[in-house]
Amino acid sequence: MRAILLLIIVLLQSSFKPIGEENKFRQDVAVIHNSEQGLPKGAIDKMKIYNNAPLAIASEDTYQWNGNEWAKSSSTYNEQSVSHFKNLPMNSGKVLSQVSYAGRTYIGCENGLFIKVKNKKWEQILPADENYSWALKNVSALVIDSNGNLWFGSKEGIGKNTNGTWQLFTGKEGVPYNQFTCATAGPNGEVWFGTENGAIRAENDYFYYRTSRRWLPDNKVNDIAVDKDGTAWVATDNGIGQIISKEMTYEEKASYFTQQTEERHNRMGFICQNHLNEQYNIDSYELAISDNDGQYTAMYGAAQAFRYSITGDKEAKEIADRSFEAVKWLVDITSVPGFPARVIIPVDWHEPVNEQYSQEYNKRNQKNDPFWKDIYPRFPLSEDGKYRWKCDTSSDELAGHYFYYGIYYDLVAETEEEKTAVKQVVADVTDHLIRNSFKLVDYDGMPTRWGSFDPDYFNSIWGWDQRGLNSMMMLSFLNVASHVTENPKYDEVAKMLRDEENYHINAMHPKEFFPPENVVPWDNNLGLMSFYGLINYEKDPELLMMYRLSLEYAWLNISKQKNAFWDGLYGALANSFTKKVNEGYFNTSELFKENPLFAQSVIDRYGKSSLDTKYIKETLQRIPLDLIGYEMDNTHRLDILFDTTPAQKTDMGWGVDSYALPIDERGHVRLDRDAFDLHDSEGNGYSEHEGTFYLLPYYFAKYHDLIPQ
């Protein structure tokens, strides 16, 4: 974990300061300490800060952190025992916690919270506020914060007493878990609670949940200590989790992720996740391939294109140029004119790719998926014999390609040579689709598994559920082609598809949302990316109104997923529609004459964006710096509601506020995942994902003025 440790050193060089500027925020970073750093194997029982240094107590031994490693220490720390109390109330049960508050002693017991009164008797406290009145059980955590408030953690939830007034929190108020083990205070009013399943930081009456290997070496928390800088040292059954919260800016975070992507995710110009040979260890990375190298490379290139447009940074242009060349290479390398490959690898690639996708493998897959394409080899040789390219390309790849074509052409391509290259590849791919009746046709002369955009497919029992999305995508591809090449034939083809096949009507229902087996989250990704080209380059006001309706329909179904990229795409396109409304672009008396009230009703209902940009900012701020794919299970949480839709998976749901859980508390490190999936794993610690996860939504939102400049 050398790279993460170096990052921590850099973060620690900055002083602890309150945040005042709008573009600064607090970034949580976790470092795992175990036997590799000198700790004993197994449980750490206690964690203390003694003489400004962290002390870890395991069994009879004490270990001190010197900034680089843990070493056995002769330091001792005497802690007051909770076992000496006498004359406890009958049935109070075992004493679990204690604290002195306002000169009086409080004890938390198995059967209540008690205070010692003047006559040395114990009086039970029954906390109550406007919502709750509790007789407490298992009061395992008591602490006084730096502002002088008393906190407890019990079976019922968390309580805070401020000047004699109680405020009580349950799952409905955001408490994620209630089997407490300990509590400690930080220097700035925050309180940390340890539980049997993770740690909770209470800050400004909000609860941050830190669980799973992303944050801790083990979920069973035995003790927590917080140093003067606000860093939490969490003792668990399998080592120590150090959680640092430091000031950062959006741009500093972007620089970090650009460096991360360039150093560990660039394979011949292609960008995707890597493989970790040692679980959780980014230093053990090995460059990998994915089915969507073209899409992921295009999205990274788009991020850098927006960056270049905003900043003029030469590095951004170099990366954007390289990304375009890589995406274009996918088209140029294949034996079929205009057909884009999924992947390009050298012939000496370390994996036996064609053996993995044998004809026997294809036959087995067809038993579960009758449309699985039986094609061999799946990685044909390039004409020069130096590379292999993967076939059976999907609509996902096309969405990424066309999304980037328009952005690169508009924001990056400056010379005539650069613009000509974009025009050539866009024409090649679009002409391939037109020539093959709107299908991606492979080297075997047959359509790919997910590459059909033709009317016959949409009108069949096989493709009816894809006609809305794929019709919209095809019209988007043609709009991009028309804009980039300035060739009117693409407008003519789009008009034919609308007039004869009703593609624009299909596009008003751009995605299926029921039954659940028809719903996949990556359709949201490729659909919204396609909307970007469809709406930005459309000139017909009636079609713009129809597409605005379609955009709202598509986005409302995912508007609570806290996906900064999807929110950004919606916000940018909705705002562009608003701008046209304000400029008088739409003459409602001349539109939809068969129903003269329709145009005005669209403006009245959708003339303004319904986006709340605070969720873009929240997600950008809370995206972890560590993009390893961890397994994260949130199905046990108290602050969630399960999705009870018929036929839905049992582990789908959202927070009690009806929005997805925060990004740093779920296992998603890709832009095309379902944020309502409560139990997710993106590689189970054996993959690290590229920084596009932050870079694209950040630079996109910044370019479109959706976050502070």
Side-chain angles (χ1 to χ4, degrees):
M1 299 299 289
R2 174 183 54 82
I4 291 293
L5 289 172
L6 289 175
L7 170 66
I8 298 306
I9 292 171
V10 172
L11 287 172
L12 287 173
Q13 289 174 346
S14 62
S15 59
F16 193 100
K17 300 176 183 177
I19 297 174
E21 298 179 41
E22 192 174 8
N23 68 339
K24 293 183 179 181
F25 52 89
R26 305 208 64 80
Q27 177 71 54
D28 280 6
V29 184
V31 180
I32 304 301
H33 299 254
N34 50 38
S35 59
E36 294 181 7
Q37 289 77 39
L39 289 172
K41 292 184 177 180
I44 305 299
D45 303 314
K46 294 290 182 180
M47 197 77 228
K48 303 299 173 187
I49 305 298
Y50 189 59
N51 290 336
N52 297 322
L55 290 182
I57 298 97
S59 299
E60 301 295 326
D61 296 322
T62 301
Y63 297 81
Q64 186 167 5
W65 175 247
N66 63 16
N68 294 304
E69 62 182 1
W70 295 89
K72 273 192 176 182
S73 171
S74 58
S75 299
T76 58
Y77 184 91
N78 296 320
E79 183 177 37
Q80 182 182 7
S81 171
V82 298
S83 62
H84 68 282
F85 294 110
K86 298 180 180 179
N87 302 317
L88 294 176
M90 187 177 299
N91 299 323
S92 63
K94 183 180 178 181
V95 177
L96 304 175
S97 57
Q98 71 175 85
V99 73
S100 294
Y101 177 55
R104 306 174 77 178
T105 300
Y106 290 74
I107 58 172
C109 301
E110 290 178 310
N111 294 313
L113 173 62
F114 299 89
I115 183 174
K116 183 178 283 189
V117 294
K118 290 183 178 180
N119 59 5
K120 296 185 179 181
K121 290 186 178 181
W122 294 95
E123 181 178 294
Q124 186 173 6
I125 296 174
L126 302 173
D129 65 6
E130 60 182 8
N131 297 314
Y132 306 105
S133 179
W134 291 344
L136 301 177
K137 298 288 185 181
N138 295 329
V139 187
S140 302
L142 283 172
V143 67
I144 310 299
D145 69 25
S146 62
N147 297 320
N149 302 305
L150 169 67
W151 293 76
F152 69 77
S154 71
K155 180 181 178 182
E156 291 72 25
I158 288 175
K160 179 177 73 169
N161 187 293
T162 303
N163 298 323
T165 299
W166 285 105
Q167 188 175 1
L168 306 178
F169 306 90
T170 70
K172 291 182 179 180
E173 289 74 39
V175 175
Y177 200 62
N178 63 351
Q179 295 184 30
F180 297 98
T181 58
C182 61
T184 192
N188 295 282
E190 73 274 28
V191 171
W192 283 87
F193 291 92
T195 79
E196 298 283 346
N197 195 340
I200 301 168
R201 184 174 77 238
E203 188 173 351
N204 298 320
D205 296 340
Y206 181 88
F207 302 95
Y208 296 82
Y209 195 32
R210 299 296 178 241
T211 187
S212 87
R213 184 54 174 69
R214 171 178 283 168
W215 297 108
L216 301 172
D218 188 89
N219 285 344
K220 171 64 165 54
V221 175
N222 300 317
D223 200 13
I224 305 175
V226 182
D227 65 26
K228 62 182 179 60
D229 293 323
T231 296
W233 301 82
V234 185
T236 77
D237 272 0
N238 192 31
I240 294 171
Q242 178 190 7
I243 301 178
I244 303 169
S245 184
K246 284 294 176 179
E247 185 178 272
M248 202 171 201
T249 67
Y250 292 108
E251 199 59 39
E252 287 169 344
K253 194 167 183 176
S255 296
Y256 167 79
F257 277 126
T258 294
Q259 181 179 352
Q260 177 251 27
T261 306
E262 290 297 301
E263 287 183 353
R264 297 196 295 276
H265 296 275
N266 176 14
R267 190 195 78 251
M268 303 188 305
F270 297 106
I271 303 297
C272 70
Q273 81 285 343
N274 61 34
H275 172 73
L276 304 181
N277 290 305
E278 181 184 340
Q279 193 178 30
Y280 310 128
N281 183 2
I282 59 175
D283 293 331
S284 70
Y285 82 93
E286 182 177 55
L287 292 172
I289 60 176
S290 77
D291 264 1
N292 292 320
D293 275 12
Q295 184 191 101
Y296 299 153
T297 303
M299 293 170 77
Y300 179 60
Q304 299 297 333
F306 288 118
R307 174 189 169 196
Y308 177 63
S309 180
I310 297 164
T311 66
D313 192 307
K314 291 182 179 179
E315 180 194 47
K317 185 175 192 317
E318 290 171 359
I319 296 173
D321 287 339
R322 186 195 71 204
S323 299
F324 171 72
E325 290 163 4
V327 172
K328 184 176 184 296
W329 187 19
L330 288 167
V331 179
D332 294 341
I333 198 173
T334 68
S335 58
V336 182
F339 180 83
R342 285 183 180 270
V343 175
I344 298 173
I345 54 174
V347 290
D348 59 354
W349 184 251
H350 61 275
E351 296 173 289
V353 289
N354 279 326
E355 289 78 0
Q356 292 174 355
Y357 291 99
S358 65
Q359 289 176 294
E360 291 75 18
Y361 173 89
N362 291 335
K363 295 297 184 185
R364 288 196 303 272
N365 264 24
Q366 286 180 334
K367 292 180 179 179
N368 297 320
D369 180 359
F371 296 101
W372 180 264
K373 190 171 177 65
D374 184 10
I375 187 170
Y376 186 86
R378 198 164 285 263
F379 283 80
L381 270 175
S382 63
E383 187 176 342
D384 60 12
K386 296 180 180 179
Y387 302 96
R388 294 189 182 278
W389 55 273
K390 190 174 186 181
C391 64
D392 199 24
T393 306
S394 71
S395 57
D396 304 65
E397 290 292 279
L398 284 185
H401 282 244
Y402 278 95
F403 177 67
Y404 190 37
Y405 292 152
I407 291 167
Y408 179 79
Y409 184 80
D410 291 341
L411 303 183
V412 182
E414 295 168 343
T415 68
E416 191 60 36
E417 181 182 6
E418 289 170 341
K419 290 184 176 295
T420 298
V422 190
K423 291 179 179 181
Q424 176 204 321
V425 70
V426 169
D428 287 348
V429 178
T430 313
D431 289 347
H432 171 94
L433 290 167
I434 296 171
R435 185 170 58 249
N436 291 287
S437 301
F438 310 103
K439 294 185 284 288
L440 269 179
V441 172
D442 227 319
Y443 73 83
D444 64 350
M446 300 296 291
T448 64
R449 170 68 176 90
W450 295 107
S452 295
F453 302 86
D454 58 296
D456 290 342
Y457 181 65
F458 297 160
N459 294 324
S460 72
I461 61 172
W462 323 115
W464 67 269
D465 58 328
Q466 298 170 51
R467 63 187 170 197
L469 176 61
N470 283 20
S471 292
M472 185 270 287
M473 290 176 67
M474 191 67 241
L475 292 175
S476 174
F477 301 161
L478 291 166
N479 271 10
V480 172
S482 173
H483 171 75
V484 169
T485 68
E486 301 179 42
N487 190 329
K489 76 173 184 180
Y490 300 114
D491 292 327
E492 295 168 5
V493 172
K495 185 176 186 304
M496 180 273 291
L497 290 176
R498 294 193 301 269
D499 292 348
E500 298 181 16
E501 304 295 346
N502 290 321
Y503 270 40
H504 59 321
I505 305 298
N506 293 344
M508 294 186 72
H509 184 94
K511 190 179 185 298
E512 292 296 312
F513 294 97
F514 192 85
E517 60 263 26
N518 283 4
V519 181
V520 290
W522 41 90
D523 279 358
N524 299 314
N525 203 55
L526 58 94
L528 284 167
M529 285 196 295
S530 297
F531 267 118
Y532 195 70
L534 179 71
I535 291 176
N536 278 339
Y537 303 135
E538 183 54 61
K539 304 178 185 68
D540 185 303
E542 286 194 352
L543 291 174
L544 273 173
M545 284 196 163
M546 294 171 66
Y547 299 155
R548 177 64 182 89
L549 281 169
S550 180
L551 172 69
E552 193 76 14
Y553 177 82
W555 182 74
L556 282 177
N557 286 275
I558 54 173
S559 60
K560 295 192 174 186
Q561 294 223 2
K562 292 185 179 179
N563 185 310
F565 182 44
W566 296 349
D567 286 0
L569 283 162
Y570 167 78
L573 294 172
N575 287 346
S576 72
F577 184 82
T578 300
K579 186 172 184 289
K580 282 183 166 59
V581 170
N582 294 338
E583 291 173 347
Y585 182 84
F586 301 102
N587 184 351
T588 57
S589 64
E590 296 297 323
L591 302 177
F592 302 104
K593 291 189 175 181
E594 64 275 22
N595 186 344
L597 301 179
F598 179 73
Q600 188 59 49
S601 72
V602 172
I603 290 175
D604 292 342
R605 294 180 64 187
Y606 307 114
K608 292 184 179 179
S609 167
S610 58
L611 175 69
D612 188 340
T613 58
K614 74 178 183 181
Y615 295 111
I616 295 180
K617 289 180 281 190
E618 175 200 303
T619 298
L620 289 175
Q621 292 175 13
R622 294 186 65 170
I623 286 174
L625 297 185
D626 174 2
L627 294 187
I628 292 174
Y630 296 102
E631 180 178 6
M632 299 191 76
D633 185 356
N634 285 300
T635 55
H636 64 284
R637 292 178 61 150
L638 304 175
D639 58 339
I640 62 165
L641 299 171
F642 286 99
D643 185 351
T644 57
T645 301
Q648 183 60 276
K649 294 194 302 179
T650 58
D651 56 359
M652 304 297 287
W654 40 81
V656 291
D657 63 354
S658 77
Y659 282 83
L661 295 172
I663 190 63
D664 55 1
E665 296 179 11
R666 44 188 164 94
H668 305 116
V669 282
R670 278 241 169 266
L671 291 168
D672 59 357
R673 297 301 190 250
D674 193 333
F676 294 154
D677 190 345
L678 297 171
H679 189 177
D680 190 63
S681 175
E682 202 76 60
N684 194 26
Y686 284 100
S687 64
E688 181 198 40
H689 293 257
E690 64 277 19
T692 311
F693 189 60
Y694 172 87
L695 293 168
L696 181 53
Y698 166 58
Y699 283 119
F700 186 94
K702 190 173 182 181
Y703 176 82
H704 286 286
D705 295 321
L706 297 171
I707 60 172
Q709 294 293 325

